[in-house]
């Protein structure tokens, strides 16, 4: 499998509870390398641009408000099959369905406040990485 990069976001529910280090450790333990990382505060408008694909969903307003409710840590993870591996480490969107040991099983509070985002495909990963980082900020 090829070396890939994927975009991860540690969401406001997790940064508020001081879980940034514990979540980052899960990525590293899975063999993913953190090649870029920054803590930022999104506006609701920026969160809406990032999640534009969900603009028609009934939960869009709630989602963008939540993503702007506190700091997030955006990271680029690199490794063999990084996109799928990160999704595996994250667990299912709804923590009630997430496999034991996954980030969402251990830390997520609800389907809406579920601690992490991860890109779901190569084209989305490229677009999402470019949304937050310039090439100079990615240090492999
Ligand atoms: P994922 O984050 O696992 O890729 P997604 O892309 O389907 O899941 O949805 C993006 C985010 O939107 C998700 O992490 C939390 C929120 N969300 C999804 N389904 C929801 C629902 N039924 N109610 C409230 N928020 C939801
Ligand atoms: Mg998604």
């Amino acid at each position: 499998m090829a070396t890939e990069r994927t975009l991860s976001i540690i969401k406001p529910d997790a940064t508020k509870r001081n879980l940034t280090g514990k979540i980052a450790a899960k990525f590293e333990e899975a063999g993913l390398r953190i090649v870029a990382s920054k803590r930022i505060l999104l506006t609701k408008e920026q969160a809406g641009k990032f999640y534009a694909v969900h603009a028609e969903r009934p939960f869009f307003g709630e989602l963008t408000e939540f993503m702007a409710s506190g700091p997030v840590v955006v990271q680029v993870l690199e490794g063999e099959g990084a996109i799928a591996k990160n999704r595996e480490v994250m667990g299912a969107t709804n923590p009630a369905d997430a496999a034991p040991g996954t980030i969402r099983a251990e830390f997520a509070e609800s389907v809406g406040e579920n601690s992490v985002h991860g890109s779901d495909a190569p084209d989305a990963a490229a677009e999402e990485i470019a949304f937050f980082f310039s090439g100079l900020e990615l240090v492999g």
Side-chain angles (χ1 to χ4, degrees), residues 17 30 80:
R17 287 177 289 146
E80 289 285 304

Side-chain angles (χ1 to χ4, degrees), residues 11 51 54 57 59 62-63 87 93 104 111-112 114 118:
K11 295 183 178 181
Y51 273 125
H54 295 306
R57 303 279 199 97
F59 55 80
E62 191 185 317
L63 172 62
R87 299 282 310 184
T93 307
R104 283 166 165 170
V111 64
N114 60 4

Side-chain angles (χ1 to χ4, degrees), residues 2 16 29 40 46-47 49 65 71 74-75 87 92 101 105 113 118-119 123 125 131:
K16 271 182 197 145
E29 281 159 16
I40 58 173
Q46 290 168 332
K49 266 194 184 168
E65 220 151 86
V74 291
Q75 299 183 311
R87 299 282 310 184
E113 306 204 357
S119 310
D123 56 341
F131 187 87

Side-chain angles (χ1 to χ4, degrees), residues 7-133:
L7 191 277
S8 164
I9 305 178
I10 302 176
K11 295 183 178 181
D13 67 288
T15 62
K16 271 182 197 145
R17 287 177 289 146
N18 260 359
L19 294 170
T20 300
K22 280 189 175 148
I23 290 173
K26 294 261 196 200
F27 299 142
E28 293 188 329
E29 281 159 16
L32 294 165
R33 182 174 299 277
I34 300 167
V35 300
S37 184
K38 60 187 173 192
R39 179 175 164 102
I40 58 173
L41 187 55
L42 292 170
T43 64
K44 192 178 172 184
E45 290 66 33
Q46 290 168 332
K49 266 194 184 168
F50 178 77
Y51 273 125
V53 65
H54 295 306
E56 303 309 319
R57 303 279 199 97
F59 55 80
F60 184 68
E62 191 185 317
L63 172 62
T64 54
E65 220 151 86
F66 165 61
M67 290 300 288
S69 69
V72 296
V73 176
V74 291
Q75 299 183 311
V76 178
L77 309 178
E78 183 183 88
E80 289 285 304
I83 296 167
K85 191 176 279 183
N86 179 41
R87 299 282 310 184
E88 205 179 301
V89 173
M90 287 164 58
T93 307
N94 185 341
D97 303 326
T102 61
I103 292 168
R104 283 166 165 170
E106 287 194 12
F107 303 126
E109 306 202 288
S110 64
V111 64
E113 306 204 357
N114 60 4
S115 302
V116 279
H117 165 84
S119 310
D120 63 5
D123 56 341
E127 203 175 299
E128 291 177 2
I129 290 169
F131 187 87
F132 288 111
F133 294 99

